[in-house]
């Protein structure tokens, strides 16, 4: 499923991001069967639709060769390759410059949730 993690990210960076007048924040997910994306952050149906579309695009039922960790392993890698594992979000006046309806999502492409790690780096003018 797709999980809205905007508040988790904001909490993790709150003391540091305030120091930047302008800059860039990079989020990098250290995994190959999950992804990050920006999408609409209000309506839960968006998350459900995104999960449904990804499952349709790369279903478990295809005859994948890589099944070492189960039938959801290879399709998870395919979804990750399409969506990506990093985001660059501008920093403006000490805040992430997200659009009004934009939220940060962690999309888990495995059936069973795994512990995921995100590396966050910021650079710019303080």
């Amino acid at each position: 499923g797709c999980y809205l993690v905007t508040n988790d990210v904001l909490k993790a960076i709150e003391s540091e991001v305030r120091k930047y007048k302008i800059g860039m924040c990079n989020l990098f997910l250290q995994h190959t069967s999950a992804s990050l994306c920006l999408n609409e952050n209000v309506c839960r149906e968006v998350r459900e639709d995104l999960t449904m579309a990804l499952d349709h695009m790369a279903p478990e039922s295809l005859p994948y060769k890589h099944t070492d960790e189960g039938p959801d392993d290879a399709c998870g890698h395919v979804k990750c390759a399409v969506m990506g594992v990093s985001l660059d979000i501008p920093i403006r006046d000490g805040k992430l410059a997200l659009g009004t309806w934009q939220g940060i999502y962690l999309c888990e492409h495995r059936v069973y949730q795994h512990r995921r790690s995100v590396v966050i780096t910021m650079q710019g003018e303080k």
Side-chain angles (χ1 to χ4, degrees), residues 12 15-16 25 27 29 41 53 73 88 102 116 118 121 125:
S15 63
E16 187 64 23
C25 177
L27 308 175
L29 181 65
N41 64 358
D73 194 23
D88 288 316
Q102 285 184 317
R116 302 300 187 179
V118 176
T121 55
E125 180 183 326

Side-chain angles (χ1 to χ4, degrees), residues 26-119:
N26 176 266
L27 308 175
F28 178 75
L29 181 65
Q30 296 179 303
H31 302 279
T32 60
S33 57
S35 60
L36 294 171
C37 74
L38 291 177
N39 217 310
E40 203 252 59
N41 64 358
V42 176
C43 186
R44 180 166 178 77
E45 287 85 2
V46 171
R47 289 178 258 176
E48 294 167 1
D49 289 345
L50 187 54
T51 299
M52 177 196 62
L54 290 168
D55 288 345
H56 180 76
M57 180 193 71
E60 283 186 35
S61 60
L62 291 178
Y64 297 107
K65 304 224 184 297
H66 176 69
T67 57
D68 295 347
E69 296 178 38
D72 65 341
D73 194 23
C75 62
H77 294 309
V78 171
K79 294 170 189 176
C80 175
V82 170
M83 293 189 68
V85 295
S86 67
L87 294 174
D88 288 316
I89 303 170
I91 299 169
R92 185 175 54 224
D93 297 324
K95 298 178 187 171
L96 295 186
L98 292 167
T100 302
W101 307 110
Q102 285 184 317
I104 302 166
Y105 283 84
L106 187 147
C107 298
E108 174 59 67
H109 304 309
R110 303 293 305 273
V111 173
Y112 301 105
Q113 291 182 5
H114 291 73
R115 186 169 180 82
R116 302 300 187 179
S117 299
V118 176
V119 174

